[in-house]
Amino acid sequence: MWIKLISPMTTARPMDSIWKTRMAPPLSLLVLGSLTPPRHKVGLEDGNIQKIKLNDSPDLVGITVKVDTAPSAFEIADRYRTRGIRVVMGGIHATSCPEDCAKHADSVVIGDAEENWPLLVEDAEKQSLKPVYRNSVTVDPAKIPIPRWEMLNHGRYLFTNTLTIGRGCPWRCDFCYNSSSNIDSSYRMKSIPQIIDEICSLGTDHVMFIDDNFIGSPEFVRKLLPEFKRLGITWQTAVSTNIGLYDDILDMMAEAGCKSLFIGFESVNQKNLMDCRKTQNRIQGYDSTIAKIHARGMMVNASLVFGFDGDDVSVFPATFEWLVRNRIATMTAHILTPYPGTVFYRKLETEGRIIDRELRHYNTAHAVFMPAKMSPRELVTGYLKIYDDFYSWLNILRRLPVSDSQVMAYLQFNLLYRKFGKQTSMLGRIFGMRRLAEFARRTSYPKWRRMENAGQCNMFMNGETALTGLTTNR
Ligand code: SF4
């Protein structure tokens, strides 16, 4: 069979350039590529880097669906199905709201695909697709294969060095997909040899760990970090705010090459955090956590959410003052968005406060519900203004990192990616996104190097890894 996998184009926010939309490939579809028996031909089209062809005739189309890409996904599916081509849908929105996708698909995959994708492919071959493939077991991370990187046109992405050390998150914040009853968010880790094998498959010593929460298991991370130090990688990841409780892990992260941490602070109002069950966040510990991270030479990318019921228009200047005072290197702000299927969505639905059901607007840049203490317009205006203020010349200078080692990466992100992202991304189109990303890495991290094959990587591995037989030259 010829199986075509599609990731529809995401809806960019006003401040996003193509650096953002072409940041990284859809990892889940590369994993599906690896899970597909080799006798089948598998192709990938990503709407963020190319126009989706709709006049071809694959035997099966698989579409990954996020909430903001759902309308495009449905249009693509309908076009194929009118020509008798079968379409299956999966991904976070298909899992959270399978009934939405079922109207446009022959089959919907609910939950992790590792168990069900090979069965689905077999059924498709026998012309006996089932309407639903629901994952009923917690997938053992050992069954997550290395993504099929050769399916990609690497030069068209900013980063193709993404991987995870596990799945899930120990927390259940109300606005997060991890609160959705269809999503298995139980926290699981891959084995250390598996992670090292995956790092080596990337062919670079700069790695982006895109886990929901890298410190889901502090005990595991304490065992993993010495291996990163041995490998000599440079890396970034996302952690929850309770990282501030683990001074020893912060020390180990810095020694193991971590350069920046994405952290979901979300709000500087404690009641907002308690109301959404983000109980691990304690605002009295925020400043000291940031100081500890900075003192170890790492940068902070603060994630913030606006529109909680405790927020009135004063939330914007209060948050802005906190960001600048703490010299936060980069900020990712969001308008609170009720993702269908989450606890927060059900609450707003019960209260009759959802005012916009156009799913393309569910990209955290629109007010799709009625805020409690400001108007939707005030919420959007404040959100746009905090971006402008944060990335003004004056405030880029005021937030300059104390540590010299962070300055180049800081300026590149603030100026080339954010402030002039629309202009610099044109250079990416001309010279190739990956080439520019490599230039940025070389200037930010002078020791950065490519590891062209896993053989080079094997030199860094410890005995345990080598003994598993997982360190093959793929
Ligand atoms: S800590 Fe982050 S990833 Fe985990 S449930 Fe909360 S918002 Fe989601």
Side-chain angles (χ1 to χ4, degrees), residues 211-351:
D211 296 84
D212 282 356
N213 187 355
F214 188 86
I215 55 157
S217 166
E219 298 73 34
F220 178 72
V221 164
R222 285 189 180 101
K223 290 184 197 136
L224 179 63
L225 290 172
E227 302 299 328
F228 286 6
K229 187 177 173 187
R230 203 186 315 264
L231 278 170
I233 57 173
T234 295
W235 51 285
Q236 280 99 17
T237 194
V239 293
S240 43
T241 53
N242 56 320
I243 185 69
L245 302 176
Y246 305 110
D247 288 19
D248 63 322
I249 293 181
L250 282 169
D251 284 340
M252 292 171 85
M253 282 179 152
E255 283 170 22
C258 181
K259 297 297 176 197
S260 79
L261 295 173
F262 178 95
I263 303 181
F265 294 99
E266 322 303 18
S267 179
V268 293
N269 173 333
Q270 190 65 50
K271 183 160 186 318
N272 284 342
L273 296 162
M274 297 323 242
D275 286 351
C276 72
R277 291 193 302 164
K278 192 140 192 157
T279 51
Q280 72 274 27
N281 281 26
R282 302 285 163 168
I283 61 166
Q284 69 269 23
Y286 280 6
D287 292 9
S288 68
T289 297
I290 295 162
K292 287 179 188 182
I293 296 167
H294 285 167
R296 288 163 174 83
M298 295 180 276
M299 291 194 292
V300 173
N301 179 349
S303 170
L304 293 157
V305 178
F306 298 103
F308 288 110
D309 281 357
D311 289 345
D312 58 25
V313 289
S314 68
V315 69
F316 299 108
T319 309
F320 176 73
E321 186 276 326
W322 173 79
L323 288 163
V324 175
R325 176 163 45 83
N326 281 288
R327 293 187 174 215
I328 295 292
T330 66
M331 171 196 71
T332 307
H334 311 272
I335 292 178
L336 185 59
T337 299
Y339 294 135
T342 59
V343 168
F344 181 57
Y345 179 88
R346 290 200 294 276
K347 171 183 181 301
L348 289 187
E349 195 68 297
T350 309
E351 294 172 0

Side-chain angles (χ1 to χ4, degrees), residues 63-67 70 73-74 77 81 87-112 116 130-135 177 180-184 339-342 345-346 359:
I63 309 179
T64 184
V65 190
K66 295 190 293 177
V67 61
F74 298 162
R81 293 180 82 213
V87 173
V88 300
M89 289 187 184
I92 196 94
H93 184 67
T95 294
S96 202
C97 294
E99 62 287 352
D100 257 19
C101 296
K103 295 174 205 149
H104 303 271
D106 297 281
S107 246
V108 179
V109 181
I110 303 175
D112 292 338
N116 279 313
K130 298 181 186 70
V132 173
Y133 290 82
R134 181 185 286 272
N135 185 50
Y177 271 120
S180 166
S181 53
N182 277 348
I183 287 174
D184 182 357
Y339 294 135
T342 59
Y345 179 88
R346 290 200 294 276
L359 295 183

Side-chain angles (χ1 to χ4, degrees), residues 48-167:
N48 286 320
I49 64 159
Q50 66 198 124
K51 195 166 164 31
I52 305 290
K53 292 188 210 99
L54 295 170
N55 54 1
D56 52 6
S57 299
D59 299 296
L60 184 68
V61 171
I63 309 179
T64 184
V65 190
K66 295 190 293 177
V67 61
D68 65 305
T69 66
S72 306
F74 298 162
E75 284 166 21
I76 293 166
D78 293 348
R79 289 279 296 273
Y80 275 115
R81 293 180 82 213
T82 52
R83 292 199 289 122
I85 294 169
R86 295 165 299 168
V87 173
V88 300
M89 289 187 184
I92 196 94
H93 184 67
T95 294
S96 202
C97 294
E99 62 287 352
D100 257 19
C101 296
K103 295 174 205 149
H104 303 271
D106 297 281
S107 246
V108 179
V109 181
I110 303 175
D112 292 338
E114 276 78 6
E115 301 285 344
N116 279 313
W117 182 253
L119 300 175
L120 182 152
V121 171
E122 203 179 309
D123 288 349
E125 210 174 6
K126 292 189 286 195
Q127 305 294 329
S128 60
L129 271 180
K130 298 181 186 70
V132 173
Y133 290 82
R134 181 185 286 272
N135 185 50
S136 54
V137 293
T138 294
V139 166
D140 177 353
K143 292 189 174 167
I144 305 172
I146 289 182
R148 199 160 152 186
W149 291 108
E150 65 271 21
M151 287 166 67
L152 283 185
N153 180 346
H154 287 258
R156 305 191 76 177
Y157 293 97
L158 192 51
F159 299 114
T160 55
N161 54 348
T162 49
L163 64 88
T164 64
I165 64 164
R167 286 226 176 119

